[in-house]
């Protein structure tokens, strides 16, 4: 069917200078057990295509769920009309953007395919793990869930290019909420960040199996714990909090279309300006951040982006120095600078825009014990539970589910309502120690929103535990 679709598309697009067809088929399934009750199993299937036409000095898009020859012709005509309307009015000429001529394939490495396990067995697994969360009458809400996404995306060009990619993604989650009087506390399995590409092997790798008792116990401990102290002190962040720190104060500020002003009236702008690349000290010399869709176990891994650019690992920040933005082919042509292969769309009915993929903080050489021993007074924090950042992605405030005091090089008791704040432009310069490979966790978020009309997309992050010096920490709220 794909071959006939490609042939019909190329025949119908014979009257335009250049065109691409991106066909996307996606299946989602969610198994959720809450308070011992199986919720309705969510199952969706979606299929359609996006046509992009370059004609003359203009470009245009049209989406369609009708992949018949007549449906494709109609979409091409609508996209061509837009291309003729925009001719001479674009910020970049279509001729300046590279065309897709490559033939390639990419597949998520999968050890245990989702579809090889029956729905009944998956329900039994989730039910068993959910039951381990109800350890005490003070646990008032608890749930376990698995979310699977299978997607096949094929990008076809009139120049003979074709990139076919198949993805498998699994997101496990555990949640326990405890209550006593007026106090309520929640612990989760890494927030919503335990998501990766792969099959059911992710369930074991994420800690989904066997973590329920610890999660419930920590929720109960938080009920009795004192609030986090306030003051300027050292801060050790676990990978499941580093995910949000990297995402909000490095990933979003480096999106090139945001820097160029495209998101200003919706999701904000960036404190980063064009003249900073190659000269701006974004963080301490221990800060090394890469864009790496080639790492196969992460949530946003791929061989080619949705414009057909080949994915490669690139340093965005090296030894603290800002080197490269997150800009796809169109933004690179606009800015006349190198970017990365990060033009991504969240489905067949959206055009690709500059998005994060896998944004990783490279590990250092410090052990977790080394970091704790180096702290005279501070707090260790795990698992993001709240975040706020201004519209230039500069001033921020983050809250964590669980904190632990650090005093005289010793990890101490649990504290609750642990928060910290800072300014992106200076916070990363306080990075003092970066954990070694043993402290790294591979995580991801399925809920990154951006663009008009809105696109919610999956993003991967891998990070070690990190130590920051003299950060503004506070409790309560």
């Amino acid at each position: 069917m794909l071959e006939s679709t490609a042939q019909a598309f190329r025949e119908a697009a014979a009257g335009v200078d250049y065109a691409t067809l991106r066909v996307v088929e996606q299946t989602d399934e969610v198994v959720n057990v809450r308070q011992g009750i199986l919720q309705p199993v969510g199952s969706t299937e979606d299929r359609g295509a996006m046509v992009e036409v370059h004609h003359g000095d203009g470009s245009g898009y049209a989406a369609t769920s009708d992949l018949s020859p007549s449906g494709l012709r109609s979409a091409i005509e609508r996209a061509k009309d837009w291309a003729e309307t925009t001719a001479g009015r674009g910020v970049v000429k279509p001729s300046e953007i590279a065309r897709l001529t490559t033939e390639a394939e990419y597949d998520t490495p999968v050890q245990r395919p989702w579809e090889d396990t029956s729905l009944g067995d998956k329900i039994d697994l989730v039910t068993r793990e959910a039951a381990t969360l109800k350890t005490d009458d003070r646990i008032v809400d608890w749930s376990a869930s698995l979310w699977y996404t299978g997607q096949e995306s094929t990008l076809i060009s009139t120049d003979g290019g074709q990139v076919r990619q198949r993805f498998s993604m699994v997101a496990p989650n555990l949640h326990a909420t405890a209550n006593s009087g007026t106090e309520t506390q929640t612990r989760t399995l890494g927030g919503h960040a335990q998501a990766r590409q792969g099959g059911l092997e992710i369930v074991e790798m994420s800690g989904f199996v066997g973590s329920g008792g610890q999660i419930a116990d920590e929720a109960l401990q938080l009920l009795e714990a004192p609030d986090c102290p306030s003051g300027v002190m050292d801060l050790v962040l676990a990978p499941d909090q580093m995910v949000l720190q990297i995402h909000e104060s490095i990933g979003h500020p480096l999106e090139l279309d945001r820097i160029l002003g495209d998101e200003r009236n919706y999701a904000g702008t960036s404190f980063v300006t064009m003249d900073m690349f190659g000269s701006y000290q974004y963080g301490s010399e221990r800060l090394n951040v890469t864009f790496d869709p080639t790492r196969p176990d992460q949530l946003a891994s791929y061989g080619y982006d949705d414009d057909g650019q080949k994915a490669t690992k690139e340093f965005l920040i090296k030894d603290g120095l800002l080197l490269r933005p997150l800009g796809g082919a169109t933004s690179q042509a606009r800015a006349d600078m190198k970017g990365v292969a990060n033009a991504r769309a969240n489905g067949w009915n959206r055009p690709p825009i500059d998005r994060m993929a896998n944004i990783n903080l490279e590990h250092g050489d410090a052990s977790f014990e080394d970091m704790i021993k180096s702290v005279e007074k501070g707090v260790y924090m795990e698992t993001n539970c709240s975040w706020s950042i201004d519209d230039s992605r500069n001033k921020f405030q983050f809250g964590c589910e669980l904190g632990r005091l650090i005093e005289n090089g010793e990890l101490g008791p649990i504290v609750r309502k642990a928060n910290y704040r800072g300014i992106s432009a200076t916070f990363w310069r306080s990075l003092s120690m970066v954990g070694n490979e043993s402290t790294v966790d591979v995580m991801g978020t399925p809920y990154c929103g951006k663009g008009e009309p809105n696109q919610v997309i999956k993003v991967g992050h891998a990070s070690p535990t990190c130590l920051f010096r003299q950060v503004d920490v506070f409790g309560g709220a």
Side-chain angles (χ1 to χ4, degrees):
M1 183 177 180
L2 189 60
E3 291 179 3
S4 62
T5 299
Q7 181 179 348
F9 164 69
R10 287 173 175 141
E11 290 175 355
V16 301
D17 294 344
Y18 175 74
T20 60
L21 176 73
R22 179 168 46 85
V23 182
V24 180
E25 299 180 65
Q26 181 167 312
T27 300
D28 286 89
E29 188 169 79
V30 179
V31 179
N32 181 24
V33 174
R34 183 178 180 187
Q35 297 184 20
I37 300 171
L38 174 66
Q39 305 301 295
V41 175
S43 183
T44 61
E45 294 184 7
D46 194 26
R47 183 171 184 265
M50 175 66 75
V51 171
E52 180 179 1
V53 166
H54 294 178
H55 194 66
D57 283 339
S59 60
Y61 295 95
T64 181
S65 59
D66 182 358
L67 300 185
S68 69
S70 62
L72 294 174
R73 283 195 300 271
S74 176
I76 290 167
E77 286 303 315
R78 284 185 284 121
K80 182 181 178 183
D81 287 345
W82 279 113
E84 291 172 345
T85 300
T86 62
R89 297 179 174 88
V91 292
V92 61
K93 293 181 179 180
S95 59
E96 297 173 352
I97 300 172
R99 295 183 173 187
L100 174 64
T101 58
T102 302
E103 291 190 25
E105 294 195 3
Y106 177 89
D107 288 271
T108 297
V110 174
Q111 298 174 27
R112 294 177 56 200
W114 176 267
E115 58 273 13
D116 285 1
T117 299
S118 70
L119 177 58
D121 286 346
K122 284 178 279 207
I123 290 172
D124 289 345
L125 169 64
V126 175
T127 301
R128 286 195 304 270
E129 297 308 313
T132 67
L133 293 159
K134 181 60 173 174
T135 60
D136 190 286
D137 287 343
R138 291 172 294 171
I139 302 291
V140 294
D141 191 20
W142 64 101
S143 67
S145 67
L146 294 177
W147 174 15
Y148 164 76
T149 298
Q151 185 186 91
E152 181 169 325
S153 175
T154 305
L155 184 65
I156 302 160
S157 79
T158 52
D159 280 8
Q162 180 170 300
V163 175
R164 188 174 186 180
Q165 303 187 94
R166 288 165 287 264
F167 307 105
S168 173
M169 294 160 270
V170 176
N173 187 262
L174 296 170
H175 157 274
T177 296
N179 171 264
S180 178
T182 60
E183 189 62 46
T184 301
Q185 290 291 319
T186 295
R187 278 295 275 151
T188 63
L189 183 69
H192 58 255
Q194 287 288 358
R196 302 187 190 185
Q197 284 192 28
L200 277 171
E201 67 274 9
I202 306 272
V203 172
E204 300 274 352
M205 295 164 63
S206 67
F208 179 84
V209 176
S211 293
Q214 179 182 342
I215 287 171
D217 181 63
E218 289 177 353
L220 294 169
Q221 288 186 61
L222 285 166
L223 288 179
E224 310 298 331
D227 286 356
C228 179
S230 298
V232 175
M233 62 190 76
D234 292 347
L235 175 65
V236 179
L237 295 181
D240 60 3
Q241 172 56 30
M242 287 297 298
V243 165
L244 259 291
Q245 188 66 61
I246 295 165
H247 185 96
E248 299 292 349
S249 67
I250 291 180
H252 279 309
L254 296 191
E255 290 166 339
L256 188 50
D257 59 352
R258 184 188 297 270
I259 295 170
L260 293 169
D262 289 4
E263 288 283 307
R264 187 171 295 141
N265 67 323
Y266 179 57
T269 180
S270 174
F271 75 91
V272 175
T273 56
M274 296 292 294
D275 59 349
M276 289 182 178
F277 291 97
S279 61
Y280 181 69
Q281 196 69 26
Y282 206 101
S284 77
E285 63 182 14
R286 293 172 177 81
L287 181 63
N288 292 284
V289 178
T290 57
F291 166 87
D292 191 9
T294 68
R295 183 169 173 166
D297 56 344
Q298 289 195 251
L299 190 57
S301 299
Y302 49 84
Y304 292 79
D305 72 4
D306 288 332
D307 276 344
Q309 283 198 98
K310 184 175 175 58
T312 57
K313 179 178 179 179
E314 304 290 349
F315 274 89
L316 306 176
I317 300 169
K318 188 169 178 58
D319 301 329
L321 184 66
L322 179 62
L323 298 179
R324 186 183 295 242
L326 292 167
T330 300
S331 292
Q332 291 175 41
R334 289 172 62 184
D336 190 25
M337 68 185 305
K338 291 182 179 179
V340 296
N342 74 320
R344 304 176 63 210
N346 78 333
W348 60 268
N349 58 359
R350 296 289 189 271
I353 57 177
D354 293 345
R355 301 304 299 260
M356 283 179 270
N358 298 330
I359 308 300
N360 302 330
L361 199 154
E362 300 294 305
H363 69 78
D365 57 8
S367 69
F368 181 78
E369 292 75 17
D370 289 338
M371 285 183 272
I372 299 301
K373 286 179 181 177
S374 74
V375 176
E376 183 176 340
K377 178 184 178 182
V379 181
Y380 166 70
M381 297 188 191
E382 290 183 0
T383 320
N384 183 267
C385 64
S386 68
W387 64 95
S388 176
I389 193 163
D390 69 15
D391 62 0
S392 62
R393 301 287 160 166
N394 200 16
K395 297 178 182 178
F396 63 81
Q397 175 177 306
F398 291 140
C400 296
E401 290 179 7
L402 180 141
R404 292 187 67 179
L405 294 180
I406 309 171
E407 295 182 315
N408 300 317
E410 298 285 341
L411 198 60
I414 285 178
V415 292
R416 67 189 180 196
K417 302 175 183 176
N419 307 268
Y420 67 99
R421 55 192 159 216
I423 299 174
S424 300
T426 56
F427 174 79
W428 290 103
R429 297 174 199 163
S430 72
L431 178 62
S432 176
M433 298 178 76
V434 177
N436 59 27
E437 194 168 5
S438 71
T439 73
V440 172
D441 203 352
V442 176
M443 313 192 83
T445 174
Y447 302 117
C448 178
K450 181 184 170 185
E452 294 182 278
N454 189 48
Q455 300 193 41
V456 177
I457 209 164
K458 296 175 173 64
V459 176
H461 298 292
S463 176
T465 301
C466 291
L467 167 63
F468 299 85
R469 299 290 187 187
Q470 297 301 289
V471 177
D472 187 3
V473 171
F474 64 101

